[in-house]
Amino acid sequence: MSSARFAPRSAALVLLVLLVAQLGGCGEEEPPPDLRQPVGWDDALRLPDAEDHDPAPGVVEVHLEARVAEVEVVPGLTTEVWTYNGMLPGPTLRAKKGDRVVVKFENHLPEATTIHWHGLRVPAAMDGTEHVQKPIEPGEGFEYSFTVPDAGTFWYHPHIRSSAQVGAGLYGAFVVEDAVEEAPLGDELLLVMSDIGIEEDGSLTPADSSGWFGDYFGREGSKVLVNGKILPTVSARAGVPQRWRVLNAARSRYIRFAVPGQPLVLIGGDGGLSESPLPVDEVKLAPGERAELYMLPVEGEPVVIPLLDANRFHLPTEEKPKELMRLDLVDEPPGRGAQPLPARLAEIASIDTRGAQGRSVEFMQQGDPEGAVLGINGQTDGSLMLSARTNTVEIWTLTNTTNYDHPFHLHGFFFQVLDIDGAEPPVRAWRDTVNLVPEETVRIAIPFDDRAGMWMFHCHILDHADLGMMAMLHLMP
Ligand code: C2O
Ligand code: CU
Ligand code: CU
């Protein structure tokens, strides 16, 4: 994987784990498999799925309502959070690959909004930006309707004043399952990571706190949340695999964590499973990015999963770790019979780049240090518009000439990272977001299909997008 930097974990430990898993599966008089999670293992973290109001197979109809709701995020305090259906995060939308999804949406916020389906390859008219739809005013509604062509961990969030609206709580996960092709990879644990600014009296930190400074550096909320909770606990049992779907829904914060004492294998990212598993020591997600992790616990102690400093400003020293969540390894006999991870998780064709059109995209800044503006290719008001042709392949050379990290995100299409400073990523995977480190050159290949229209690309530090680090791609037949 590219933008997320995954250090290879000690190969010996991983081999051991895979070996243990394998041994559980052979032998003559082996006892039956026992792969039960501990009782109530995910009670503190399970997120409700949105109800499907259409009984027909192949169709999922959900009702979403954006509204301000009183939520106890900090124990003992009430906060007026901006929510979908009164929940933080919003309900999980769940569908099967190929399903038709209908979302009947109503806006009861005090201001206009839209919904963007981050990572889903929907028609342009359903993409939720102001370039393709009218803002949905308070009291109004809109019906989104599209087919979900890919399995993976996606998400939804507003695309008007998105830094303020996402920062106030408007986001939810969108899981598309592939029941047919995927091997069982453990019990699913969906982890929506984010942060929120809450003051001592429980009120939300104003969306524009610290003015230009907040825009330029990107606002990080005072509370880090996992599924809307501060420092929640998941239980696990040695030998019983869990499949973590992790999403960074924070407005500007990067999420970097490790799981002390436990082996982690990266099995997927933005666009579903990767081609092959990649053992990792830690995971780093820029805002908007996702990771799928396979965790087959070994015996050990309960631990706090630390939130490590992602150092997106490239300061000389790292901050000391904060606390993200707890992993409680229960004192029960280890489970038995976990299948080894398949060596090949998904078929991901390499992109034929012969004859591909090349293009350079530079994330840059302009102006003096006290009031610098951010932009793309010299345009700092979000007005840059590129055009491309449907059913072509393009190679984009992405650079970052500022001093800090910025995650590049493209709407509507997956891409593959070809190389970073000339080096190929360790596994092939589909992405929609890639972190750009200052002075690094990232080359991506984008296969455009026939979905003509206006597509956005921008920095997914949402404060930066709102400051002008955004642009449009007009895809024409
Ligand atoms: Cu999460 Cu414009 O996107
Ligand atoms: Cu998007
Ligand atoms: Cu940025």
Side-chain angles (χ1 to χ4, degrees):
M1 313 300 296
S2 45
S3 76
R5 337 199 98 218
F6 301 96
R9 161 174 285 271
S10 118
L13 179 54
V14 168
L15 273 181
L16 186 69
V17 169
L18 295 179
L19 199 67
V20 168
Q22 203 132 28
L23 287 177
C26 56
E28 294 279 301
E29 289 147 53
E30 88 209 24
D34 168 11
L35 295 170
R36 275 173 305 105
Q37 298 291 346
V39 173
W41 68 288
D42 66 344
D43 281 359
L45 282 157
R46 203 178 319 114
L47 295 170
D49 288 347
E51 190 187 336
D52 179 2
H53 293 268
D54 188 329
V59 184
V60 174
E61 180 190 311
V62 302
H63 300 171
L64 286 181
E65 188 183 274
R67 62 168 192 263
V68 179
E70 295 194 337
V71 180
E72 188 179 317
V73 181
V74 179
L77 288 180
T78 302
T79 302
E80 296 204 329
V81 176
W82 291 32
T83 70
Y84 293 110
N85 295 5
M87 288 177 242
L88 179 72
T92 303
L93 272 55
R94 201 174 279 277
K96 299 215 161 38
K97 184 174 160 177
D99 279 356
R100 166 130 231 115
V101 175
V102 177
V103 180
K104 296 191 168 160
F105 173 64
E106 278 175 33
N107 179 15
H108 296 292
L109 299 171
E111 64 183 42
T113 192
T114 59
I115 307 183
H116 167 59
W117 312 97
H118 182 128
L120 291 167
R121 298 191 299 150
V122 302
M126 292 291 130
D127 194 48
T129 65
E130 277 186 273
H131 300 265
V132 298
Q133 80 166 106
K134 285 211 313 289
I136 305 159
E137 298 296 333
E140 288 183 355
F142 190 83
E143 185 172 308
Y144 292 94
S145 164
F146 46 80
T147 302
V148 289
D150 309 290
T153 310
F154 307 103
W155 63 300
Y156 61 99
H157 64 77
H159 225 290
I160 290 186
R161 290 213 327 128
S162 50
S163 58
Q165 295 193 2
V166 171
L170 288 168
Y171 47 80
F174 196 136
V175 175
V176 182
E177 294 169 350
D178 184 344
V180 188
E181 280 164 37
E182 281 183 20
L185 295 167
D187 295 299
E188 180 189 290
L189 181 66
L190 182 59
L191 297 168
V192 180
M193 300 188 175
S194 66
D195 63 9
I196 192 166
I198 295 182
E199 303 292 302
E200 262 162 42
D201 63 356
S203 61
L204 281 182
T205 302
D208 60 353
S209 62
S210 316
W212 168 84
F213 196 84
D215 292 333
Y216 180 75
F217 289 101
R219 295 173 178 86
E220 298 190 353
S222 52
K223 305 289 176 223
V224 175
L225 305 178
V226 180
N227 295 359
K229 303 224 166 59
I230 298 170
L231 201 57
T233 300
V234 61
S235 301
R237 189 176 156 214
V240 183
Q242 299 189 357
R243 175 187 188 171
W244 291 5
R245 294 179 182 267
V246 191
L247 147 67
N248 182 358
R251 137 192 213 170
S252 293
R253 180 189 293 273
Y254 283 51
I255 303 272
R256 175 182 164 222
F257 65 93
V259 184
Q262 296 297 334
L264 277 187
V265 182
L266 182 74
I267 56 171
D270 295 341
L273 295 174
S274 323
E275 186 173 50
S276 49
L278 179 70
V280 293
D281 280 328
E282 56 169 66
V283 178
K284 181 167 119 180
L285 295 175
E289 278 190 295
R290 286 86 72 207
E292 288 198 46
L293 298 166
Y294 175 83
M295 202 211 24
L296 179 59
V298 294
E299 283 179 274
E301 295 298 308
V303 288
V304 172
I305 296 179
L307 177 69
L308 306 168
D309 182 3
N311 202 1
R312 63 186 171 94
F313 299 116
H314 299 273
L315 300 173
T317 52
E318 268 184 27
E319 258 179 60
K320 57 175 217 318
K322 298 183 171 63
E323 298 184 324
L324 183 62
M325 56 186 273
R326 289 180 208 279
L327 175 67
D328 183 12
L329 227 50
V330 297
D331 190 12
E332 283 176 30
R336 283 184 311 261
Q339 295 292 311
L341 264 183
R344 177 146 302 220
L345 296 164
E347 289 307 322
I348 298 182
S350 75
I351 300 171
D352 183 356
T353 53
R354 280 170 303 174
Q357 162 90 32
R359 201 183 281 283
S360 294
V361 171
E362 180 197 353
F363 279 34
M364 37 66 65
Q365 73 171 51
Q366 245 168 36
D368 51 76
E370 284 305 290
V373 282
L374 298 170
I376 301 178
N377 288 6
Q379 218 93 5
T380 57
D381 57 0
S383 68
L384 177 72
M385 186 168 343
L386 307 177
S387 56
R389 292 275 167 204
T390 52
N391 301 310
T392 60
V393 173
E394 294 210 349
I395 296 178
W396 290 20
T397 301
L398 310 174
T399 52
N400 169 4
T401 54
T402 75
N403 295 322
Y404 312 132
D405 285 9
H406 298 280
F408 165 93
H409 168 55
L410 172 66
H411 282 212
F413 299 91
F414 291 154
F415 54 78
Q416 285 177 19
V417 172
L418 297 175
D419 44 51
I420 300 177
D421 279 348
E424 245 182 82
V427 292
R428 198 180 285 161
W430 290 112
R431 310 203 57 85
D432 56 56
T433 305
V434 61
N435 190 41
L436 304 181
V437 174
E439 321 260 301
E440 266 183 13
T441 301
V442 178
R443 289 196 322 134
I444 62 172
I446 318 166
F448 292 118
D449 53 32
D450 60 355
R451 287 168 303 131
M454 300 291 274
W455 299 100
M456 203 171 235
F457 59 98
H458 58 88
C459 177
H460 217 290
I461 292 178
L462 295 173
D463 286 297
H464 293 174
D466 289 359
L467 198 63
M469 214 171 224
M470 62 154 72
M472 295 304 297
L473 175 75
H474 187 187
L475 194 63
M476 295 179 299

